[in-house]
Amino acid sequence: MESGSASSASAAASTTASSPVLQLPAPPSHAAAATQDTSPTSGALAHNDAIDLTTNVDSEVLPPPGKKQKKCSSEVWQHYTKYKVSKKGSDDTVIVEEYAKCNKCSYKRRCESNCGTSVFWNHLNNKHNIKSGQQQLQMKKREDGTEGALETYRYDETVILKKFYMAIIMHEYPFNIVEHDYFVDFIKSLRPTFPIKSRITVRKDILNIYEEEKKKLWQHLLTLSCRFSTTMDMWTSNQNKSYMCITVHWIDDTWKMQKRIIKFMHVEGHHSGSNMCKEFYDSIVDWNLDRRLVGLTLDNASSNDVCVKGVILKLRKISPLICDGIFFHVRCFNHILNLVAQDGLKQITGAVLKIRNTISILKHSPLQFEAFQKCALEVSLDNTKGLSMDTPTRWNSTFLMLKNAIYYRNAFDRLFLRHGRKYAKCAPTKVDWSMAIVLCKCLKPFHEATELFSGTTYPTTNHFFGKFCSIKLYIADWCNSTDGTIKTMANAMQTKYDKYWEKSNMALAVACFLDPRYKTSSIEYYGMKIYGLEAAEKFDEFNGVIKKLFDVYATSACATSKKKVSTVASESAFSAGGRVVDPFRTRLDPEAVQALVCTKDWIKAANNGYKTQAIINELDIESVERLLANLLIVEKEENNDDMEQDDVLMDEMDE
């Protein structure tokens, strides 16, 4: 019988048998000691009974029928290594006996199930001062990674396995990492008895963790007294499968903003409005949120309009919506900005053509890029910032390309001076640079708005109305520009912007009204600027919405004094980049994908929390103060006779 490796002995240590059974070969060192030692204290074998361990006897020894092997559960086996020894019986049959050798010394003894564990504990206690149930010590790590004070440590196989599964979930390791030879060897070097599971078992256990975490979150949402806002997005992964992601947002009872991904499911069939409506509604009902929804934020696809109408019809049959559903459908502002900016940039591709071509040459030529970096250093510029190319699907890539190119303008000029012939046809002129600066200034408000509404740790709906109106005024101003390129771009933008302006109602100004920094001053200012003589009619519509909302709060307070109605903005930018299935998950089934994505989101939220950060740190407060100051100046100029009202507004701004 061939002698086995150390790893096979470790694997054999995970099971015991009530009768001698040959399962795994024994290590050479342990086997030799067992066949030659005749000490009675060690339970050794007589030399005349020992057999040659190199003889293959697998076919001669079979486990007894009907016997079920007992799982090792005692902690004593963490300090011993088990192995098996074969010998010949009186009737020339092969008998396999199981031994355990101390990991700290050369002590060894028979360890079949009928031998008990007391003798092994006694050895550990007398020779190594280790007692049953005794905890070990380890150095506690500080937050900075340095070692701190000693703390007790107790090895728990179940806890360690769960931590291993958490590492797979949080760091997106593939399931078959448990089959990587060097990884297994590394784990065995740390703990020879650690059970390495198969990838199938890993998948099963992770799905069980997902179900446990889902049950905890479901019960937690049931205890909340607030309402919920939702966001939904769909895309096709690199598996060529369509996935729907549903995220819920709320303010908990401690006034902290929270969000969780509750569904990341594979959707079969067409992305029609009716199909999306069914999947969304079934998911909301599954989480028991159908009676507590306040809004749904989507992009501007036509199928989403059908989806929202269907959801509203189903929800109205269960319970009335807030203000008859005027707050329910929210259009993604970032998606609107993306469509508007792309329509405008299509009209000005020639204006930035030379800058784009020059950057393209540098990106595709290592020698020219090295020369450019050298020129950047010579004019005292940071060459680590780098250049970027724009892409057709991302409008802000054009803004970033122009922004970086303008920063390196002196480096470009020095490069053209040294290698004039190479760049004679594509070198940007002074007119090109001037146009790039103007376009960059025009695109900057779009970029700032996109960053603002991509936030996840602060409210965003209170800024929607102001940003929506200010960008509309920007576009209207650009339409009157004397520059033909800017005017052409603005006209294209205005056509697209007006389309979505009509679909956005005055109800979105409610959040701006509820912000104590703005109140009615911002609404009145933008209302007069945009609507002119029709502003009074719009104000009446707005006041009607405010009254409806007040009635909802009053009714809720009368019905249950402890119940609050909390509306939470959907601040997601619907960027699929952070949620698309990565290359390690391309072969996973949709059930496993949902378990991995959702569990990671829930564990991250439970450990760190989506706490509301101070809005004063997240926003550009100086720009807010300048806006309010400008509002006051305009009101003073238009209402010179009403100085008292201006003083009140100044006091509010100071507060």
Side-chain angles (χ1 to χ4, degrees), residues 190-241:
L190 299 176
R191 173 72 66 167
T193 60
F194 185 79
I196 298 295
K197 307 295 184 180
S198 67
R199 58 184 176 86
I200 298 176
T201 304
V202 170
R203 177 189 180 278
K204 179 182 177 182
D205 291 344
I206 287 179
L207 289 178
N208 291 335
I209 293 175
Y210 162 73
E211 293 297 335
E212 293 175 3
E213 295 295 329
K214 179 180 179 181
K215 184 178 180 180
K216 292 179 184 179
L217 180 59
W218 192 92
Q219 293 176 345
H220 174 68
L221 296 180
L222 195 64
T223 63
L224 299 177
S225 57
C226 61
R227 287 183 177 266
F228 298 87
S229 178
T230 54
T231 61
M232 184 181 72
D233 194 14
M234 294 195 67
W235 66 91
T236 302
S237 71
N238 52 15
Q239 299 171 301
N240 202 26
K241 293 181 179 179

Short mmCIF file of all heavy atoms in Angstrom, two decimals, residues 190-241:
data_model
loop_
_atom_site.label_atom_id
_atom_site.label_comp_id
_atom_site.label_asym_id
_atom_site.label_seq_id
_atom_site.Cartn_x
_atom_site.Cartn_y
_atom_site.Cartn_z
N LEU A 190 -2.16 26.84 7.63
CA LEU A 190 -2.64 27.57 8.80
C LEU A 190 -3.36 26.65 9.79
O LEU A 190 -3.17 26.76 11.00
CB LEU A 190 -3.59 28.69 8.36
CG LEU A 190 -3.00 29.76 7.45
CD1 LEU A 190 -4.10 30.74 7.04
CD2 LEU A 190 -1.87 30.51 8.14
N ARG A 191 -4.19 25.77 9.27
CA ARG A 191 -4.96 24.85 10.11
C ARG A 191 -5.15 23.56 9.33
O ARG A 191 -6.00 23.48 8.45
CB ARG A 191 -6.30 25.46 10.48
CG ARG A 191 -7.24 24.54 11.20
CD ARG A 191 -6.84 24.25 12.63
NE ARG A 191 -6.91 25.41 13.48
CZ ARG A 191 -6.85 25.36 14.81
NH1 ARG A 191 -6.71 24.19 15.40
NH2 ARG A 191 -6.90 26.46 15.54
N PRO A 192 -4.32 22.53 9.61
CA PRO A 192 -4.41 21.29 8.82
C PRO A 192 -5.79 20.65 8.84
O PRO A 192 -6.17 19.97 7.90
CB PRO A 192 -3.36 20.39 9.48
CG PRO A 192 -2.40 21.32 10.13
CD PRO A 192 -3.21 22.48 10.59
N THR A 193 -6.54 20.86 9.92
CA THR A 193 -7.85 20.21 10.03
C THR A 193 -8.97 21.05 9.47
O THR A 193 -10.14 20.66 9.58
CB THR A 193 -8.15 19.91 11.51
OG1 THR A 193 -8.16 21.14 12.25
CG2 THR A 193 -7.12 18.96 12.09
N PHE A 194 -8.66 22.21 8.88
CA PHE A 194 -9.73 23.08 8.37
C PHE A 194 -10.43 22.40 7.20
O PHE A 194 -9.77 21.94 6.25
CB PHE A 194 -9.16 24.41 7.92
CG PHE A 194 -10.22 25.41 7.49
CD1 PHE A 194 -10.93 26.12 8.43
CD2 PHE A 194 -10.52 25.60 6.15
CE1 PHE A 194 -11.91 27.03 8.06
CE2 PHE A 194 -11.49 26.50 5.76
CZ PHE A 194 -12.18 27.21 6.73
N PRO A 195 -11.76 22.32 7.22
CA PRO A 195 -12.47 21.60 6.15
C PRO A 195 -12.61 22.45 4.89
O PRO A 195 -13.29 23.47 4.89
CB PRO A 195 -13.84 21.33 6.79
CG PRO A 195 -14.04 22.45 7.76
CD PRO A 195 -12.67 22.82 8.27
N ILE A 196 -11.99 22.05 3.83
CA ILE A 196 -12.12 22.73 2.55
C ILE A 196 -13.34 22.18 1.83
O ILE A 196 -13.41 20.99 1.53
CB ILE A 196 -10.86 22.55 1.69
CG1 ILE A 196 -9.65 23.16 2.39
CG2 ILE A 196 -11.05 23.18 0.32
CD1 ILE A 196 -9.72 24.65 2.56
N LYS A 197 -14.30 23.05 1.58
CA LYS A 197 -15.54 22.64 0.93
C LYS A 197 -15.39 22.66 -0.58
O LYS A 197 -14.52 23.35 -1.14
CB LYS A 197 -16.69 23.55 1.36
CG LYS A 197 -16.86 23.69 2.86
CD LYS A 197 -17.26 22.39 3.51
CE LYS A 197 -17.52 22.56 4.99
NZ LYS A 197 -17.92 21.31 5.65
N SER A 198 -16.28 21.97 -1.25
CA SER A 198 -16.33 22.02 -2.71
C SER A 198 -17.07 23.28 -3.15
O SER A 198 -17.77 23.92 -2.36
CB SER A 198 -17.03 20.78 -3.26
OG SER A 198 -18.40 20.80 -2.91
N ARG A 199 -16.90 23.65 -4.41
CA ARG A 199 -17.56 24.86 -4.90
C ARG A 199 -19.09 24.71 -4.88
O ARG A 199 -19.81 25.70 -4.74
CB ARG A 199 -17.09 25.20 -6.32
CG ARG A 199 -17.32 24.11 -7.34
CD ARG A 199 -16.73 24.49 -8.70
NE ARG A 199 -16.85 23.43 -9.67
CZ ARG A 199 -17.91 23.23 -10.44
NH1 ARG A 199 -18.95 24.04 -10.32
NH2 ARG A 199 -17.94 22.24 -11.30
N ILE A 200 -19.58 23.49 -5.01
CA ILE A 200 -21.02 23.26 -4.94
C ILE A 200 -21.52 23.52 -3.52
O ILE A 200 -22.57 24.15 -3.32
CB ILE A 200 -21.36 21.82 -5.38
CG1 ILE A 200 -20.95 21.62 -6.85
CG2 ILE A 200 -22.84 21.53 -5.19
CD1 ILE A 200 -21.16 20.21 -7.36
N THR A 201 -20.75 23.06 -2.53
CA THR A 201 -21.13 23.31 -1.14
C THR A 201 -21.03 24.79 -0.80
O THR A 201 -21.87 25.33 -0.07
CB THR A 201 -20.22 22.50 -0.20
OG1 THR A 201 -20.30 21.11 -0.55
CG2 THR A 201 -20.64 22.68 1.25
N VAL A 202 -20.01 25.45 -1.35
CA VAL A 202 -19.87 26.89 -1.12
C VAL A 202 -21.07 27.64 -1.66
O VAL A 202 -21.62 28.53 -0.98
CB VAL A 202 -18.56 27.40 -1.77
CG1 VAL A 202 -18.53 28.93 -1.75
CG2 VAL A 202 -17.36 26.84 -1.05
N ARG A 203 -21.50 27.30 -2.86
CA ARG A 203 -22.68 27.95 -3.43
C ARG A 203 -23.91 27.71 -2.56
O ARG A 203 -24.68 28.65 -2.28
CB ARG A 203 -22.93 27.42 -4.84
CG ARG A 203 -24.19 27.98 -5.50
CD ARG A 203 -24.51 27.25 -6.79
NE ARG A 203 -25.70 27.80 -7.41
CZ ARG A 203 -26.95 27.47 -7.08
NH1 ARG A 203 -27.15 26.59 -6.10
NH2 ARG A 203 -27.97 28.01 -7.70
N LYS A 204 -24.10 26.50 -2.11
CA LYS A 204 -25.26 26.17 -1.28
C LYS A 204 -25.24 26.95 0.03
O LYS A 204 -26.26 27.50 0.46
CB LYS A 204 -25.27 24.67 -1.00
CG LYS A 204 -26.41 24.22 -0.12
CD LYS A 204 -26.34 22.71 0.15
CE LYS A 204 -27.45 22.28 1.10
NZ LYS A 204 -27.36 20.81 1.40
N ASP A 205 -24.08 27.01 0.67
CA ASP A 205 -23.99 27.72 1.95
C ASP A 205 -24.19 29.22 1.78
O ASP A 205 -24.79 29.88 2.64
CB ASP A 205 -22.63 27.44 2.60
CG ASP A 205 -22.50 26.00 3.07
OD1 ASP A 205 -23.54 25.32 3.16
OD2 ASP A 205 -21.36 25.55 3.33
N ILE A 206 -23.70 29.79 0.68
CA ILE A 206 -23.89 31.22 0.44
C ILE A 206 -25.35 31.53 0.17
O ILE A 206 -25.88 32.57 0.61
CB ILE A 206 -22.99 31.69 -0.72
CG1 ILE A 206 -21.53 31.73 -0.26
CG2 ILE A 206 -23.41 33.06 -1.24
CD1 ILE A 206 -20.55 32.16 -1.32
N LEU A 207 -26.04 30.66 -0.53
CA LEU A 207 -27.49 30.85 -0.72
C LEU A 207 -28.23 30.79 0.61
O LEU A 207 -29.20 31.53 0.82
CB LEU A 207 -28.03 29.79 -1.67
CG LEU A 207 -27.63 29.92 -3.15
CD1 LEU A 207 -28.21 28.77 -3.97
CD2 LEU A 207 -28.10 31.25 -3.73
N ASN A 208 -27.76 29.94 1.52
CA ASN A 208 -28.38 29.89 2.85
C ASN A 208 -28.14 31.20 3.61
O ASN A 208 -29.03 31.69 4.32
CB ASN A 208 -27.82 28.71 3.64
CG ASN A 208 -28.27 27.38 3.08
OD1 ASN A 208 -29.31 27.28 2.42
ND2 ASN A 208 -27.49 26.34 3.33
N ILE A 209 -26.93 31.76 3.48
CA ILE A 209 -26.64 33.05 4.12
C ILE A 209 -27.54 34.13 3.54
O ILE A 209 -28.05 34.99 4.27
CB ILE A 209 -25.15 33.40 3.93
CG1 ILE A 209 -24.26 32.43 4.70
CG2 ILE A 209 -24.87 34.84 4.38
CD1 ILE A 209 -22.79 32.63 4.47
N TYR A 210 -27.75 34.11 2.22
CA TYR A 210 -28.64 35.08 1.58
C TYR A 210 -30.05 34.99 2.14
O TYR A 210 -30.68 36.02 2.45
CB TYR A 210 -28.64 34.84 0.07
CG TYR A 210 -29.80 35.47 -0.66
CD1 TYR A 210 -29.87 36.84 -0.85
CD2 TYR A 210 -30.84 34.69 -1.16
CE1 TYR A 210 -30.95 37.42 -1.51
CE2 TYR A 210 -31.91 35.24 -1.82
CZ TYR A 210 -31.96 36.62 -1.99
OH TYR A 210 -33.03 37.18 -2.64
N GLU A 211 -30.55 33.78 2.31
CA GLU A 211 -31.91 33.61 2.84
C GLU A 211 -31.99 34.11 4.28
O GLU A 211 -32.99 34.72 4.69
CB GLU A 211 -32.32 32.14 2.76
CG GLU A 211 -32.50 31.61 1.35
CD GLU A 211 -33.62 32.32 0.60
OE1 GLU A 211 -34.54 32.85 1.26
OE2 GLU A 211 -33.59 32.33 -0.65
N GLU A 212 -30.94 33.87 5.07
CA GLU A 212 -30.94 34.36 6.45
C GLU A 212 -30.94 35.89 6.50
O GLU A 212 -31.70 36.50 7.27
CB GLU A 212 -29.71 33.81 7.18
CG GLU A 212 -29.73 32.30 7.39
CD GLU A 212 -28.44 31.80 8.01
OE1 GLU A 212 -27.57 32.64 8.32
OE2 GLU A 212 -28.31 30.57 8.18
N GLU A 213 -30.08 36.51 5.68
CA GLU A 213 -30.00 37.97 5.67
C GLU A 213 -31.29 38.58 5.12
O GLU A 213 -31.73 39.64 5.58
CB GLU A 213 -28.80 38.42 4.83
CG GLU A 213 -27.45 38.02 5.39
CD GLU A 213 -27.17 38.69 6.71
OE1 GLU A 213 -27.65 39.84 6.92
OE2 GLU A 213 -26.48 38.09 7.55
N LYS A 214 -31.89 37.91 4.15
CA LYS A 214 -33.16 38.40 3.59
C LYS A 214 -34.25 38.39 4.65
O LYS A 214 -35.04 39.35 4.77
CB LYS A 214 -33.56 37.55 2.39
CG LYS A 214 -34.89 37.99 1.76
CD LYS A 214 -35.24 37.10 0.57
CE LYS A 214 -36.58 37.52 -0.03
NZ LYS A 214 -36.97 36.66 -1.18
N LYS A 215 -34.29 37.34 5.44
CA LYS A 215 -35.30 37.24 6.50
C LYS A 215 -35.09 38.34 7.54
O LYS A 215 -36.05 38.97 8.01
CB LYS A 215 -35.22 35.87 7.16
CG LYS A 215 -36.29 35.63 8.21
CD LYS A 215 -36.20 34.22 8.78
CE LYS A 215 -37.28 33.99 9.83
NZ LYS A 215 -37.20 32.61 10.39
N LYS A 216 -33.82 38.62 7.89
CA LYS A 216 -33.54 39.69 8.86
C LYS A 216 -33.99 41.04 8.32
O LYS A 216 -34.62 41.83 9.04
CB LYS A 216 -32.03 39.74 9.15
CG LYS A 216 -31.51 38.54 9.93
CD LYS A 216 -30.00 38.68 10.14
CE LYS A 216 -29.43 37.47 10.83
NZ LYS A 216 -27.96 37.60 11.01
N LEU A 217 -33.66 41.33 7.04
CA LEU A 217 -34.04 42.62 6.47
C LEU A 217 -35.55 42.73 6.35
O LEU A 217 -36.12 43.81 6.60
CB LEU A 217 -33.37 42.78 5.09
CG LEU A 217 -33.67 44.08 4.35
CD1 LEU A 217 -33.24 45.29 5.17
CD2 LEU A 217 -32.98 44.09 2.98
N TRP A 218 -36.22 41.66 5.96
CA TRP A 218 -37.69 41.68 5.84
C TRP A 218 -38.33 42.01 7.18
O TRP A 218 -39.25 42.83 7.26
CB TRP A 218 -38.17 40.33 5.33
CG TRP A 218 -39.60 40.31 4.89
CD1 TRP A 218 -40.07 40.53 3.63
CD2 TRP A 218 -40.75 40.05 5.71
NE1 TRP A 218 -41.44 40.43 3.61
CE2 TRP A 218 -41.89 40.15 4.88
CE3 TRP A 218 -40.93 39.77 7.05
CZ2 TRP A 218 -43.18 39.94 5.35
CZ3 TRP A 218 -42.22 39.58 7.53
CH2 TRP A 218 -43.32 39.66 6.69
N GLN A 219 -37.85 41.39 8.23
CA GLN A 219 -38.40 41.66 9.56
C GLN A 219 -38.07 43.08 10.03
O GLN A 219 -38.89 43.72 10.70
CB GLN A 219 -37.86 40.63 10.56
CG GLN A 219 -38.36 39.22 10.30
CD GLN A 219 -37.73 38.20 11.23
OE1 GLN A 219 -36.71 38.48 11.88
NE2 GLN A 219 -38.31 37.00 11.28
N HIS A 220 -36.89 43.58 9.64
CA HIS A 220 -36.52 44.94 10.03
C HIS A 220 -37.41 45.97 9.33
O HIS A 220 -37.87 46.93 9.97
CB HIS A 220 -35.05 45.19 9.68
CG HIS A 220 -34.62 46.61 9.91
ND1 HIS A 220 -34.52 47.17 11.17
CD2 HIS A 220 -34.27 47.60 9.03
CE1 HIS A 220 -34.13 48.43 11.07
NE2 HIS A 220 -33.97 48.71 9.79
N LEU A 221 -37.67 45.79 8.05
CA LEU A 221 -38.53 46.72 7.32
C LEU A 221 -39.95 46.71 7.88
O LEU A 221 -40.65 47.72 7.83
CB LEU A 221 -38.55 46.36 5.83
CG LEU A 221 -37.22 46.49 5.08
CD1 LEU A 221 -37.40 46.11 3.62
CD2 LEU A 221 -36.65 47.88 5.19
N LEU A 222 -40.36 45.57 8.41
CA LEU A 222 -41.70 45.46 8.97
C LEU A 222 -41.86 46.33 10.22
O LEU A 222 -42.96 46.79 10.53
CB LEU A 222 -42.00 44.00 9.30
CG LEU A 222 -43.47 43.64 9.57
CD1 LEU A 222 -44.30 43.87 8.31
CD2 LEU A 222 -43.58 42.19 10.02
N THR A 223 -40.77 46.58 10.93
CA THR A 223 -40.84 47.37 12.17
C THR A 223 -40.80 48.87 11.92
O THR A 223 -41.05 49.65 12.84
CB THR A 223 -39.67 46.99 13.09
OG1 THR A 223 -38.43 47.32 12.45
CG2 THR A 223 -39.69 45.50 13.41
N LEU A 224 -40.48 49.29 10.69
CA LEU A 224 -40.35 50.72 10.41
C LEU A 224 -41.72 51.35 10.17
O LEU A 224 -42.64 50.72 9.64
CB LEU A 224 -39.47 50.94 9.18
CG LEU A 224 -38.03 50.42 9.29
CD1 LEU A 224 -37.29 50.62 7.98
CD2 LEU A 224 -37.29 51.12 10.42
N SER A 225 -41.83 52.62 10.56
CA SER A 225 -43.11 53.33 10.42
C SER A 225 -43.10 54.32 9.27
O SER A 225 -44.03 55.11 9.15
CB SER A 225 -43.43 54.06 11.73
OG SER A 225 -42.37 54.96 12.06
N CYS A 226 -42.06 54.32 8.47
CA CYS A 226 -41.94 55.30 7.39
C CYS A 226 -42.46 54.73 6.07
O CYS A 226 -42.84 53.56 5.98
CB CYS A 226 -40.48 55.71 7.24
SG CYS A 226 -39.40 54.33 6.81
N ARG A 227 -42.45 55.57 5.06
CA ARG A 227 -42.75 55.14 3.70
C ARG A 227 -41.45 54.96 2.93
O ARG A 227 -40.39 55.42 3.37
CB ARG A 227 -43.67 56.15 2.99
CG ARG A 227 -45.11 56.11 3.50
CD ARG A 227 -45.98 57.07 2.72
NE ARG A 227 -47.37 56.99 3.13
CZ ARG A 227 -48.28 56.25 2.54
NH1 ARG A 227 -47.96 55.52 1.49
NH2 ARG A 227 -49.53 56.24 2.97
N PHE A 228 -41.54 54.35 1.75
CA PHE A 228 -40.36 53.99 1.00
C PHE A 228 -40.43 54.53 -0.42
O PHE A 228 -41.50 54.55 -1.04
CB PHE A 228 -40.22 52.46 0.94
CG PHE A 228 -40.05 51.82 2.28
CD1 PHE A 228 -41.17 51.47 3.04
CD2 PHE A 228 -38.80 51.56 2.80
CE1 PHE A 228 -41.04 50.88 4.28
CE2 PHE A 228 -38.65 50.97 4.04
CZ PHE A 228 -39.76 50.63 4.78
N SER A 229 -39.27 54.96 -0.91
CA SER A 229 -39.13 55.31 -2.31
C SER A 229 -38.30 54.23 -2.99
O SER A 229 -37.48 53.56 -2.34
CB SER A 229 -38.44 56.67 -2.45
OG SER A 229 -38.27 57.01 -3.81
N THR A 230 -38.52 54.04 -4.27
CA THR A 230 -37.84 52.96 -4.99
C THR A 230 -37.20 53.47 -6.26
O THR A 230 -37.65 54.46 -6.85
CB THR A 230 -38.82 51.83 -5.35
OG1 THR A 230 -39.93 52.38 -6.06
CG2 THR A 230 -39.31 51.12 -4.11
N THR A 231 -36.14 52.79 -6.69
CA THR A 231 -35.54 53.02 -7.99
C THR A 231 -35.44 51.68 -8.71
O THR A 231 -35.28 50.63 -8.06
CB THR A 231 -34.12 53.63 -7.88
OG1 THR A 231 -33.28 52.73 -7.16
CG2 THR A 231 -34.16 54.96 -7.16
N MET A 232 -35.54 51.72 -10.00
CA MET A 232 -35.48 50.48 -10.78
C MET A 232 -34.70 50.74 -12.06
O MET A 232 -34.83 51.79 -12.68
CB MET A 232 -36.90 50.00 -11.13
CG MET A 232 -36.91 48.66 -11.86
SD MET A 232 -38.59 48.13 -12.27
CE MET A 232 -38.99 49.28 -13.58
N ASP A 233 -33.88 49.78 -12.43
CA ASP A 233 -33.10 49.90 -13.65
C ASP A 233 -32.96 48.53 -14.28
O ASP A 233 -33.01 47.51 -13.59
CB ASP A 233 -31.72 50.48 -13.35
CG ASP A 233 -31.01 50.94 -14.62
OD1 ASP A 233 -31.69 51.06 -15.66
OD2 ASP A 233 -29.80 51.18 -14.58
N MET A 234 -32.77 48.50 -15.59
CA MET A 234 -32.59 47.24 -16.31
C MET A 234 -31.44 47.39 -17.29
O MET A 234 -31.23 48.47 -17.86
CB MET A 234 -33.86 46.84 -17.06
CG MET A 234 -35.02 46.49 -16.15
SD MET A 234 -36.34 45.61 -17.02
CE MET A 234 -35.52 44.06 -17.41
N TRP A 235 -30.70 46.33 -17.46
CA TRP A 235 -29.63 46.32 -18.45
C TRP A 235 -29.30 44.87 -18.79
O TRP A 235 -29.78 43.94 -18.17
CB TRP A 235 -28.39 47.05 -17.94
CG TRP A 235 -27.73 46.39 -16.78
CD1 TRP A 235 -26.75 45.45 -16.80
CD2 TRP A 235 -28.05 46.61 -15.41
NE1 TRP A 235 -26.42 45.08 -15.53
CE2 TRP A 235 -27.20 45.77 -14.66
CE3 TRP A 235 -28.95 47.44 -14.75
CZ2 TRP A 235 -27.24 45.75 -13.28
CZ3 TRP A 235 -28.98 47.40 -13.37
CH2 TRP A 235 -28.13 46.57 -12.65
N THR A 236 -28.41 44.70 -19.76
CA THR A 236 -27.97 43.37 -20.18
C THR A 236 -26.54 43.17 -19.73
O THR A 236 -25.66 43.98 -20.03
CB THR A 236 -28.07 43.21 -21.71
OG1 THR A 236 -29.43 43.44 -22.11
CG2 THR A 236 -27.65 41.81 -22.13
N SER A 237 -26.27 42.08 -19.02
CA SER A 237 -24.94 41.81 -18.48
C SER A 237 -24.06 41.19 -19.55
O SER A 237 -24.50 40.91 -20.67
CB SER A 237 -25.05 40.87 -17.28
OG SER A 237 -25.41 39.57 -17.72
N ASN A 238 -22.79 40.92 -19.17
CA ASN A 238 -21.90 40.26 -20.12
C ASN A 238 -22.23 38.78 -20.28
O ASN A 238 -21.59 38.09 -21.05
CB ASN A 238 -20.44 40.42 -19.68
CG ASN A 238 -20.23 39.98 -18.24
OD1 ASN A 238 -21.07 39.31 -17.65
ND2 ASN A 238 -19.10 40.35 -17.68
N GLN A 239 -23.24 38.30 -19.54
CA GLN A 239 -23.78 36.97 -19.78
C GLN A 239 -24.81 36.97 -20.90
O GLN A 239 -25.35 35.93 -21.22
CB GLN A 239 -24.46 36.44 -18.51
CG GLN A 239 -23.56 36.30 -17.29
CD GLN A 239 -24.38 35.99 -16.06
OE1 GLN A 239 -25.26 36.76 -15.70
NE2 GLN A 239 -24.10 34.87 -15.43
N ASN A 240 -25.11 38.17 -21.42
CA ASN A 240 -26.18 38.36 -22.39
C ASN A 240 -27.53 38.01 -21.77
O ASN A 240 -28.42 37.48 -22.43
CB ASN A 240 -25.93 37.52 -23.65
CG ASN A 240 -26.69 38.06 -24.85
OD1 ASN A 240 -27.00 39.26 -24.91
ND2 ASN A 240 -26.99 37.21 -25.80
N LYS A 241 -27.67 38.34 -20.48
CA LYS A 241 -28.93 38.13 -19.76
C LYS A 241 -29.42 39.48 -19.23
O LYS A 241 -28.61 40.33 -18.86
CB LYS A 241 -28.74 37.16 -18.60
CG LYS A 241 -28.42 35.74 -19.02
CD LYS A 241 -28.28 34.83 -17.82
CE LYS A 241 -27.98 33.40 -18.25
NZ LYS A 241 -27.81 32.49 -17.07
#
